[in-house]
Amino acid sequence: MTSPGRYHLLLTLDGRPAMHGWWEKESVARRQFSSWVGERGGMPGVRMTLTDVETGELLTVWPKAP
């Protein structure tokens, strides 16, 4: 079975998964992350994470911790 992509973007609302996306290229995943933040970053209870699933590294998060 083929992996959906190395970079996983997850949007949760009040802790529940609402949207997912996977991309092979980090640059594409980061652009999509920025797009999602612009479109959905103001929603109540929203959290977005971008993770490199090969290394397990959390690359970025929205909202940023104070």
Side-chain angles (χ1 to χ4, degrees):
M1 183 173 192
T2 304
S3 159
R6 176 174 178 171
Y7 299 96
H8 179 220
L9 178 51
L10 171 64
L11 181 147
T12 60
L13 293 171
D14 296 322
R16 291 192 263 198
M19 291 177 62
H20 293 269
W22 288 266
W23 293 270
E24 285 299 326
K25 292 184 176 185
E26 183 176 356
S27 61
V28 174
R30 285 186 180 275
R31 273 196 312 274
Q32 193 64 37
F33 180 87
S34 295
S35 176
W36 284 21
V37 168
E39 294 169 4
R40 299 170 181 90
M43 296 170 70
V46 72
R47 184 168 192 263
M48 290 176 246
T49 58
L50 179 60
T51 304
D52 180 336
V53 296
E54 281 188 17
T55 67
E57 180 183 1
L58 182 62
L59 301 173
T60 191
V61 121
W62 175 266
K64 300 285 185 193

